[in-house]
Amino acid sequence: MTDLETTVRRIVREEVARALHPAPLPGGPTFADAGDAWLADLERLRRPANTLRRYEEQLRLHLYPDLADQPIAAIDRRRLQEILRRYVTADRHARARGIRSVMISVCEFALQQEWVDHNVARTTTSIRVPRHPVSVPSAADVAALRRAAGARHDDPRATMPLGLMIDVIIGAGGLRLGEMRGLRWADVDLAGAVPSVVVAGTVVQVRRGDRAWERGLHLQPTPKTSTSRRQIAIPAWLAEELRPLEQPGVLVFHTRGGGPYSPANVHSRWRQAAAAAGVPELGPHDLRKYVGTLIADALGVDVASRVLGHASGQVTERHYIARATAVPDVTTLLDQLRG
């Protein structure tokens, strides 16, 4: 194809695009207008506070700096693609994927309001997150962390029962940190034939502001997702640890004032214990991977996914399960191939 033919084809494509999507009139709602209205609509629909916080941060930190004052009807694919490319080039694929999702949602809302005639964000390239090997702590590392956390709990100056927190995360099937902090005694059944806990909520912390979901640290009455609400049987050793501490009607883990612990305080104490244990990189999420891999190896990925509260086994397998390097012994079959 000659340069002239290439140029002609490009001009024809541009003319067709202009005919299908004519240039917008000056003015009109900006991208920030659409984003704020979309967020307010989600708030009216009573979306979880943590979800609203995540969307608000995507808009404020990653989209508004480039698009806030731009009329949404004037924003083209190239402009959106440039924003996504910055994050993909920086190897922040998961971030780019989240930003694209918000882009699509805001533009879809604008389409419903008839502020635009098509959802330009849907024409951007979908983001594939590269799969990296899952790093899972060893049983020895987890044991060392538990010992260090328990030893610090014996310190009369330490009021946060970090050792018991870690035991609950592990013994309740790999709870999320927010789920552990939001666990209430009303959600704990220690009298049944099989002791169990119900994951019914989580603790979230969002930036302070005028809207209800922006008022800092609070207990959210629903877990992270619909599949995150689950009942988990706990082992006898954890039930024995919890029985002497039961106080109906309050949080299992609470400050002297009765409120939930902030994530900053928990992470600070956690880092101290991990450093003392010689495993400074071992964080709360690593315990979920440890428990998830343990369950998957014994009972399969689907069971691990349900216990961890994931929407699908694909999430569990991609992010939480260490791939086994060993395979079943098939030497008997392979021996038949000998000439």
Side-chain angles (χ1 to χ4, degrees), residues 300-319:
V301 173
D302 287 343
V303 175
S305 177
R306 292 173 60 189
V307 173
L308 292 172
H310 288 154
S312 71
Q314 292 180 340
V315 175
T316 310
E317 191 170 14
R318 175 182 286 271
H319 300 291

Side-chain angles (χ1 to χ4, degrees), residues 1-9:
M1 185 181 296
T2 66
D3 291 342
L4 178 59
E5 291 174 327
T6 301
T7 302
V8 170
R9 286 176 180 268

Side-chain angles (χ1 to χ4, degrees), residues 2 18 29 37 47 72 94 119 126 131 140 157 171 176-177 193-194 199 222 224 228 301 317 328 339:
T2 66
R18 276 193 287 271
R47 288 292 183 88
I72 191 166
N119 188 335
S126 59
R131 176 171 293 189
R157 296 169 298 176
R176 297 178 177 91
L177 194 63
V194 179
V199 179
T222 56
K224 182 178 180 182
S228 296
V301 173
E317 191 170 14

Side-chain angles (χ1 to χ4, degrees), residues 203-230:
V203 173
V204 296
Q205 186 170 31
V206 297
R207 71 182 183 86
R208 297 184 182 277
D210 297 332
R211 291 176 283 196
W213 56 271
E214 294 180 326
R215 293 177 187 162
L217 187 70
H218 62 100
L219 179 64
Q220 181 175 288
T222 56
K224 182 178 180 182
T225 65
S226 59
T227 54
S228 296
R229 183 179 175 85
R230 58 205 188 276

Side-chain angles (χ1 to χ4, degrees), residues 35-253:
D36 290 348
W38 168 68
L39 205 59
D41 189 57
L42 295 182
E43 186 178 359
R44 284 193 294 270
L45 295 174
R46 304 182 67 84
R47 288 292 183 88
N50 216 24
T51 299
L52 294 172
R53 176 196 59 81
R54 187 170 67 252
Y55 290 160
E56 187 273 338
E57 286 184 349
Q58 298 277 35
L59 290 170
R60 175 170 49 86
L61 299 178
H62 307 292
L63 289 173
Y64 283 177
D66 290 289
L67 303 173
D69 298 330
Q70 298 296 313
I72 191 166
I75 295 173
D76 57 15
R77 178 186 183 277
R78 179 186 59 79
R79 187 72 176 272
L80 300 182
Q81 198 68 50
E82 287 177 354
I83 295 173
L84 297 175
R85 188 177 294 114
R86 286 204 303 265
Y87 292 91
V88 171
T89 303
D91 198 26
R92 301 180 67 186
H93 294 78
R95 174 67 70 188
R97 191 171 187 174
I99 292 171
R100 182 175 184 267
S101 177
V102 170
M103 281 179 178
I104 291 174
S105 296
V106 172
C107 290
E108 190 66 27
F109 179 83
L111 180 62
Q112 294 169 2
Q113 305 304 311
E114 299 184 352
W115 295 340
V116 296
D117 59 5
H118 69 294
N119 188 335
V120 66
R122 289 193 182 277
T123 67
T124 58
T125 305
S126 59
I127 310 296
R128 293 181 62 87
V129 180
R131 176 171 293 189
H132 300 292
V134 178
S135 177
V136 177
S138 67
D141 288 345
V142 174
L145 176 65
R146 293 176 71 188
R147 287 194 299 270
R152 293 190 63 82
H153 183 42
D154 292 338
D155 184 344
R157 296 169 298 176
T159 59
M160 182 186 298
L162 184 61
L164 182 58
M165 287 178 166
I166 291 173
D167 283 353
V168 168
I169 290 175
I170 296 173
L175 295 185
R176 297 178 177 91
L177 194 63
E179 293 171 344
M180 177 274 292
R181 291 184 295 128
L183 193 65
R184 301 168 302 174
W185 284 113
D187 305 322
V188 180
D189 179 10
L190 301 177
V194 179
S196 65
V197 299
V198 174
V199 179
T202 186
V203 173
V204 296
Q205 186 170 31
V206 297
R207 71 182 183 86
R208 297 184 182 277
D210 297 332
R211 291 176 283 196
W213 56 271
E214 294 180 326
R215 293 177 187 162
L217 187 70
H218 62 100
L219 179 64
Q220 181 175 288
T222 56
K224 182 178 180 182
T225 65
S226 59
T227 54
S228 296
R229 183 179 175 85
R230 58 205 188 276
Q231 182 175 4
I232 305 167
I234 61 175
W237 60 264
L238 179 57
E240 289 302 316
E241 284 189 51
L242 291 172
R243 280 194 181 96
L245 307 174
E246 190 169 6
Q247 300 175 5
V250 299
L251 292 169
V252 174
F253 301 107

Side-chain angles (χ1 to χ4, degrees), residues 268-292:
S268 176
R269 288 293 313 280
W270 193 295
R271 286 193 297 269
Q272 294 171 6
V279 288
E281 301 301 322
L282 202 164
H285 217 65
D286 293 315
L287 292 189
R288 276 175 61 78
K289 297 178 182 179
Y290 171 75
V291 174

